[in-house]
Amino acid sequence: MTTRRDLFKIVGGSAVGLLFTPAPWRLIADSALWSENWPGIPRPARGEIRTRFTHCGLCPAGCAVRARCVGEQPVSLAGVEGGLCPFGVAGHHLPYHPARLKQGDRQAAAAAVAAVSEAHGTVALLDLRPGRTASWTYRRAMAALPHGVYLAPEEPAFAVDLAKAKTVLSLGAPLLDGWGRPSRVFAARSGFRLIQAEAVESRTAALADQWLPVRPGAEMALGPAVAAARSDALQSRDREGVPGAETNNAPLAYGAPTGPGSEALQSRDREGAVGAGAILDAPFGHGAAREGAVGAGAILDAPFGHGAAREGSAGAKTNAPLANARGSDVLGRGALRSRDREGAGVAQITGLAQEQIAQMARELRDNGPALILGREMTSEVLAWNVRVGAWGKTVGPREEAPVPHEWRKAAPVTPLPQVADGSLQALIIDESSAGARIPWADIQPKLAPDAVVVLLACARNGYAEHATHLLPTPVYPEALDDLPAPVDAMASEFRLSTPLVPAPEYAVDPVEFVSALAGLDAKDALRRRADAIHRAGRGRLIAYADGKSVPVKDLKPEEFWKALASGAEWIGEESRGPVPRIAPAASPRIAPAAVPGIALAAAPRIAPAASPRIAPAAAPGIAPAAATTPPDAAWPFFLAAAEESGGPLVSPLLSKIYQESRLRLGPHRAALNPHSGFAEGSRAAIETRYGRRIVEVTLDAGVPPGMVLVAGCGAGLEACRVVRI
Amino acid sequence: MMPGRSRMRGKLFFLGGALAALGAGWAGFPRAIYQSRPQPVDFSHKVHAEKAGAKCEDCHAFREDGSFAGIPTLDQCAACHAAPMGTTAAEKRFIDEYVTPHKEPQWRSYARQPENVYFPHAAHVKRAQLKCDKCHGDEGSAGHLRPFEQDRISGYSRDIWGGQGRPAMKMDDCVDCHRRSLGTRAGQRSCLDCHK
């Protein structure tokens, strides 16, 4: 009889025997291999290795991209004419981003907007990246609706040519860190001397030939000062009979449409008789700006001005980076009025020595052609460039790529500030592409109390919390879109961001959604635009695959479209035009009507209490005692954007590398000066009047005392406090 | 029971268990661990090589970019087999089920490398001048396609373990071959030379 002991003997024998078979060892190996192939682990694509060309849609630069694909799957992206920024290199990760929106009730959103439209309510569309073919479709759609309004930030109506510049004054513009088209910028870099005026030692400041550490928010004050110095020099030469075409460029640009001389204008300016449509170029708030009859539509170009905002007549637009709503002066109302031209006021505001400013003005004058860049390329930046004689040399007009004639019957571009408060019953926001940022605080007052807000976005980190309907959109490189020419392209351009991977089923195409609301068929809008460009017969087509440049007139329409869809780029001809009159009647695209976008996108939001006392920037040569003086007890810090975040989504892999290497600030990090009293890695709460965010502190000597840098908080300044937790 | 007899009985049980395990491990386990799947068509390399005079690279070609196309697509087959090339049942079935409806046969690859490996055929065939049978054995002269045997747990082909005239294709085998052919230079290679 078999006993229990016998069974144990069998089991023991079996165990020993098994050790001499491949079974246990294979099971271990197989289990390990099985664990390498669990669900969720990415499977590298198999198939033919091909190269495809497209354009990066992550920012307005729209760099040409060479995509290495295995089968239909892009596995690596690289630049074509020059490099590609880190965001672009990791762009093919975005379709798989875990934070991507994947749900949204398209029918409910469409029904809600349709209900508003049928009830004759105002339906508005806010396009954060205007200038695309999609933007034309939106405008056509809004024109087709009974009360449709197309809203968009200002587009620069001019372009700059870095290759022709000898001296570049950058007023806080991230010129070497994602500004314009990086390949073009770096190709031209060796040809110009770069002066970077910025509070923080940014990457551009570190790579500039000269860094001028100004007080936070005071960058733009240098523009009118330098331009005025240049203008005065030109006038002086004019009076002395020194010939020179430049003389005619600058002052006339500020005249009324009839073009009075500069001195006459300045006289009118001082007397407060600025006419309708004129721009008041008053660096620190002229009397006219404060007390005069600034007409409807006038722009107060006063970086630290206050009067017009407080006392100016209706319609005056304040483009004053540090202007505060209450009208209290940054440095004392009117104190600088008589000194602005001499540079004393500029010195006081910026923290720079008068001699430094004078030296800079001389350099722009003597080492031309010069170019002045602002963080936002607004009409006042154009005005300063005109004054320094840059028009026709480093700055010029640029036409938009041709569009089909019938599209011209589209809704006009309406600036958000022109919309009456509480008048929008429905607002559709296209946030699918990286573009301008408009604070919600500027949008919200325009909405009716029960307004429908439909947000088309790929992630939840924008306006999503304010939306009543949230629709997921395709992300780059899933979306087919065209890219408007960047500001450093002197010729008009047309290039497509062609999809490298198909969009998922749940993604809602913003153009399709909006055009369906208006009953438009816009599926072939890009093709029709390409045909219009081809019909115009101007310019040439550059194909990156073979590097050939072919005149458009030598191509058939089908060939032209096929090449564009394969990653080629159409480049038009450079425009030439007279010096623009920066007045509404003469130059609509630089008109006040288009300008409020400046205020929307870039105007900082400084709490009144925080404005009067600005801590000097921490920079070599500035006394530490002064540098640590807090601007205000309640709001002792200025909060500023560290850098562009690369769009609504950044590859998780890239952001992990950045955070671990600290090459860029992560979303939960803030950079402070080492003398700010916080320890490296400590936790703190940043509080603004809009809310609170917990961050981890990174100490950076390039950040001046009194400033806090965080990533992706917008371009302006905001008063804040930093609290230890 | 007597102690000596009892001890002998215990040894027999132990030995029986060990023998059973050895049998199961060497004979039963390989049959159980692999799932046998037939190929969609009974393709004969031998017929194509001898009667049609085809060489390996005629069907298993390199693309223009140097990447290896692997198993030929139906278009390549249909270039000759648009109409039946013989009277065999396999030929008729191939024409009726795949060529006429233009349906791609789902061939099962014996020698597919795992997903984490980058294996360039071009480097081995064109640069190192390796013959196909060095890794694939005498597959090119076989009259029938073997069933594809897939590991039930790992999902890998049985062929990676070698056998039946075929060398193994595990990482150790790659390293061993490279070491023999490249000498000390093989040791200077990094993980990412072969691994994705």
Side-chain angles (χ1 to χ4, degrees), chain A residues 192-207:
Chain A
F192 60 82
R193 177 174 153 75
L194 175 61
I195 304 169
Q196 181 76 7
E198 195 171 5
V200 178
E201 190 180 12
S202 63
R203 288 179 187 81
T204 300
L207 294 170

Side-chain angles (χ1 to χ4, degrees), chain B residues 124-145:
Chain B
H124 291 82
V125 175
K126 293 192 170 179
R127 193 170 172 190
Q129 299 289 318
L130 290 183
K131 299 291 181 193
C132 301
D133 56 7
K134 176 78 175 172
C135 301
H136 296 282
D138 59 352
E139 200 68 61
S141 60
H144 301 277
L145 289 182

